[in-house]
């Protein structure tokens, strides 16, 4: 499991800067709060354009695992201008190319909606975290079952996935994190003024 290349990946890389900036404007306070206390070696899965780099404290060693090769040049530039020691890696969260227990924290913002196999990705996150390490997440999630919004999310899955590079608008990501084997999970639900993907959750999952 390595690069996600091809025409779709190239088009998505062209659209992502605008989409990521728009989302980050709406969610910046959440992102800042989530990332403010990071220290040590941090792996960010699916960093996209590197929109979170501004929110990291100085001093972290940042590793970014991004499967879309067309996003790598921009990520390298963003990393250089932020002045962190770090590296952009090619690969997918379902097969993280790092040793077991080698990172202090993993960051995932708007990524677990898109990975093809979120259970495998979370197992990999647990593998690479050192004991006591944390997964910090901010994800758009499924609306509660039985609501009109959930019915809409379920309906648009095929189109949304095709246009959104594999993104699932109706993924129950907090439940997946709770079932993944972390020692403790704390998540806070909130909404952003967005069509279809308004419900979000942000939080921390600790490895025991
Ligand atoms: C919606 S973008 C979010 C980008 C950024 N994290 C943000 O908050 O703006 C989804 C990102 O996840 C990446 N991605 C998709 N599938 C992935 C996988 N299996 N493993 C790691 N990253 C993945 C995409 O290439 C893209 O960079």
């Amino acid at each position: 499991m390595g690069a996600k290349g091809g025409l779709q990946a190239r088009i998505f890389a062209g659209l992502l800067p605008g989409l990521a900036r728009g989302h980050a404007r709406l969610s910046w306070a959440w992102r800042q709060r989530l990332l403010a206390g990071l220290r040590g070696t941090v792996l960010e899965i699916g960093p996209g354009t590197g929109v979170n780099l501004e929110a990291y404290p100085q001093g972290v060693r940042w590793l970014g695992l991004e499967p879309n090769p067309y996003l790598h040049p921009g990520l390298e530039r963003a990393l250089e201008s932020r002045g962190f020691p770090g590296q952009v890696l090619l690969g997918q969260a379902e097969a993280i190319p790092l040793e077991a227990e080698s990172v202090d924290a993993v960051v995932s913002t708007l990524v677990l909606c898109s990975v093809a196999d979120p259970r495998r990705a979370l197992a990999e996150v647990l593998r690479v975290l050192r004991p006591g390490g944390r997964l910090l997440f901010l994800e758009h999630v499924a609306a509660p079952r039985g609501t009109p919004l959930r019915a809409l999310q379920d309906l648009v899955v095929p189109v949304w996935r095709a246009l959104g590079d594999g993104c699932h608008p109706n993924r129950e990501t907090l439940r997946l994190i709770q079932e993944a084997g972390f020692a403790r999970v704390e998540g806070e639900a909130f909404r952003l003024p967005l069509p279809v993907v308004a419900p979000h959750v942000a939080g921390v999952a600790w490895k025991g």
Side-chain angles (χ1 to χ4, degrees), residues 4 20 31 46-48 51 66-68 71 92-94 109-111 115:
K4 275 173 78 175
R31 291 180 192 246
V51 71
E66 174 52 61
N68 186 330
L71 291 166
Q92 303 197 33
E94 294 95 325
T109 66
L110 311 182
V111 176
V115 302

Side-chain angles (χ1 to χ4, degrees), residues 7-8 15 40 43 47 62 65 76 93 99 105 114 137 141 145 147 159 186-187 190 193 197 203:
L7 184 62
Q8 199 187 2
L15 297 174
L43 169 69
W62 184 87
L65 180 65
E76 303 274 9
E99 305 227 324
S114 294
F137 55 90
V141 290
R145 290 177 194 209
T147 60
V159 179
E186 284 179 7
F190 64 103
V197 291

Side-chain angles (χ1 to χ4, degrees), residues 19 78 120 169 178:
L19 295 172
R120 189 160 156 201
Q178 285 164 338

